[in-house]
Amino acid sequence: MKYYSLNGTAPAVDFRTAVINGQAPDKGLYFPGTVPVLDADFWEGIGRYDDHAIARRIILPYAGDSIPEAELARIVEETLSFPVPLRPVSESMHVLELFHGPTLAFKDVGARFMSRCLSWFARGLDGRVVVLVATSGDTGGAVAAAFHGVPYVDVVVLYPKGRVSPVQEAQIAGAGDNVHALEVAGTFDDCQALVKQAFADTNLREALYLTSANSINVARWLPQQFYYALAWKQWPRKDRPPVLSVPSGNFGNIGAALLLHRSGLPVQQFVAACNANDGVARLLAGTPGERRAAIATLSNAMDVADPSNFVRILELFGGDTAALRQMLRVTTTTDDQTREAIRAVYERFGYVLDPHSAVAWHGLQQGLPPGEHGILVGTAHPVKFPGVVAEETGAPVPYPPAIAGLMERPLQKEPLAVSYDALRTRLLALR
Ligand SMILES: *Cc1c(COP(=O)(O)O)cnc(C)c1O
């Protein structure tokens, strides 16, 4: 598989180079040259395959020419080392629970897949690989956990001071060793701008193998397709494909779902459920307006003003926004509506939603035609947001064993001003 840059001037590359570069030299996102089609037999008979076989089938055309098949099988096995259950919550709604991985949020799968691919590729290089990440909350923790202790690789995580939850911070700054946590005196957009500047710095990139682990890296983005095949495997009504609501910030997760739909995944309609950050909703409504800064909300992993993966979705539809609007509805949800959803779903069905999943619930309510059935994607465990969840349900959320020891680890973080020079100096010290 060749990957081309969406900015159109960098040369097409193989999977290995796309993973190591992260972003193309012309600053474009990489996009696969073809979208493989999985035949009707696969989708109809998906219940016959185990989860790893399904994942291998999906990823092989994307990565198979850069990683030997047996190695790829091992990577898939280590990536999907936890269940992805589809739980019925009400008569018309299921929740696809993506939060049973080590950091209790859906980014575990992409981060684990990428760390193992990168480690495989880094063995042959003559210098260290530095993974540079800006996070609004969950990416950083997932990446820190996925790369902690991985040979030949350092991880540098930039996160906005005071804007991530205590559990998220513990996951980012509690890892230590080859994971460096930089607490930035600014917003997520500031963090992202600093990271973009580093990637555009050719001198720096001659000194270090710099790569991203945000969902723009194809090794983060592509394995998110696994979830949706596993959802379909468990979907009880194969005669009626679901409406699928995905809580969306950078639009990577929903982009992966749309990509798998191109490969044949049966879905009736997609909902990109956003919080108050409504940039894409305005764009698709034909009223883009002015650029705005990100708004801080309860669903902080989705506080993104300018979603980087949206260009991939546009590419998938050949830039045809009318066709895109047919398939994808973009909804927005306020913090009050998020709270209301947490309370209502708990009272009516006894199910506890985290704020991100609550946004997807609210989005599905808006996007679900009467009589239809839907899946909302649960992207984070409610324990990651104990304050708001306990306020709305009236009950504290118990810590699952996976993170019981997490809060005792000392934080190892360094302050960073919103200054590119400061970041550059810090990165060069890793050589
Ligand atoms: C990252 C994240 C999202 C948004 O996913 P995107 O791929 O950025 O759209 C939603 N929920 C949680 C919990 C997340 O961590």
Side-chain angles (χ1 to χ4, degrees):
M1 177 77 73
K2 286 286 186 210
Y3 293 83
Y4 62 92
S5 164
L6 291 181
N7 280 2
T9 57
V13 297
D14 62 5
F15 180 72
R16 176 181 187 277
T17 307
V19 173
I20 293 173
N21 285 356
Q23 201 172 13
D26 63 0
K27 297 181 206 161
L29 273 64
Y30 284 116
F31 196 83
T34 54
V35 179
V37 174
L38 299 170
D39 54 32
D41 276 1
F42 172 76
W43 296 111
E44 280 161 23
I46 197 164
R48 291 198 302 269
Y49 300 96
D50 70 40
D51 292 1
H52 293 151
I54 292 169
R56 284 199 304 273
R57 184 90 182 253
I58 291 168
I59 207 68
L60 191 67
Y62 288 105
D65 52 6
S66 291
I67 303 179
E69 203 167 328
E71 179 63 21
L72 197 57
R74 189 187 62 80
I75 291 174
V76 161
E77 213 165 287
E78 287 183 19
T79 299
L80 282 178
S81 57
F82 44 86
V84 179
L86 182 70
R87 290 202 198 287
V89 169
S90 73
E91 215 155 274
S92 58
M93 307 244 202
H94 282 67
V95 178
L96 181 67
E97 295 185 348
L98 304 188
F99 49 74
H100 296 286
T103 70
L104 308 178
F106 87 91
K107 293 186 177 71
D108 281 327
V109 156
R112 286 160 76 82
F113 185 81
M114 177 180 166
S115 68
R116 282 148 181 86
C117 290
L118 200 59
S119 181
W120 174 258
F121 298 141
R123 302 177 342 155
L125 298 175
D126 54 358
R128 286 185 81 77
V129 170
V130 176
V131 175
L132 182 61
V133 194
T135 183
S136 57
D138 276 328
T139 303
V143 170
F147 281 86
H148 185 220
V150 169
Y152 313 111
V153 183
D154 279 294
V155 177
V156 176
V157 182
L158 275 65
Y159 67 99
K161 182 179 164 104
R163 296 197 189 208
V164 301
S165 77
V167 171
Q168 287 172 331
E169 186 168 39
Q171 287 173 331
I172 296 164
D177 302 323
N178 62 329
V179 178
H180 313 279
L182 305 185
E183 184 183 45
V184 176
T187 63
F188 168 64
D189 284 340
D190 292 327
C191 298
Q192 213 171 24
L194 287 172
V195 164
K196 278 192 185 149
Q197 228 174 322
F199 283 115
D201 183 339
T202 34
N203 281 337
L204 181 72
R205 301 194 72 169
E206 273 161 24
L208 297 165
Y209 290 104
L210 202 59
T211 192
S212 80
N214 279 341
S215 47
I216 60 171
N217 193 300
V218 291
R220 278 273 322 274
W221 185 53
L222 295 170
Q224 297 175 39
Q225 296 177 94
F226 300 164
Y227 296 138
Y228 301 100
L230 299 180
W232 175 245
K233 179 184 172 184
Q234 297 169 80
W235 180 246
R237 311 193 44 173
K238 296 285 193 283
D239 57 323
R240 294 284 286 275
V243 175
L244 184 65
S245 174
V246 183
S248 295
N250 252 326
F251 279 63
N253 201 2
I254 184 122
L258 286 160
L259 182 64
L260 193 63
H261 181 59
R262 268 311 148 81
S263 297
L265 173 76
V267 172
Q268 199 181 119
Q269 168 85 41
F270 290 85
V271 176
C274 298
N275 57 29
N277 291 282
D278 60 354
V280 172
R282 282 185 283 116
L283 189 80
L284 281 188
T287 52
E290 282 172 24
R291 271 186 69 109
R292 297 180 193 171
I295 301 165
T297 73
L298 293 174
S299 44
N300 66 12
M302 309 185 334
D303 293 350
V304 183
D306 187 11
S308 47
N309 271 293
F310 188 65
V311 288
R312 283 186 166 138
I313 295 177
L314 276 177
E315 182 71 6
L316 204 50
F317 284 81
D320 183 348
T321 49
L324 174 57
R325 273 199 305 270
Q326 288 275 316
M327 206 58 227
L328 177 71
R329 173 151 182 198
V330 183
T331 60
T332 57
T333 296
T334 64
D335 275 355
D336 283 346
Q337 290 166 327
T338 304
R339 285 182 177 274
E340 235 170 78
I342 295 172
R343 188 175 341 122
V345 170
Y346 184 69
E347 279 171 5
R348 287 166 58 201
F349 310 112
Y351 189 88
V352 182
L353 295 169
D354 94 290
H356 303 78
S357 317
V359 166
W361 175 276
H362 185 253
L364 190 51
Q365 301 263 306
Q366 294 170 69
L368 194 65
E372 293 300 340
H373 293 246
I375 294 175
L376 72 105
V377 173
T379 47
H381 194 290
V383 78
K384 300 188 86 169
F385 306 90
V388 55
V389 171
E391 277 162 33
E392 299 309 321
T393 62
V397 193
Y399 273 40
I403 57 161
L406 181 75
M407 304 306 284
E408 277 114 63
R409 285 191 270 169
L411 297 184
Q412 303 178 51
K413 59 184 176 184
E414 306 164 37
L416 187 79
V418 183
S419 147
Y420 179 60
D421 282 343
L423 176 62
R424 193 171 195 281
T425 306
R426 183 65 190 87
L427 291 175
L428 286 171
L430 292 170
R431 275 185 301 180

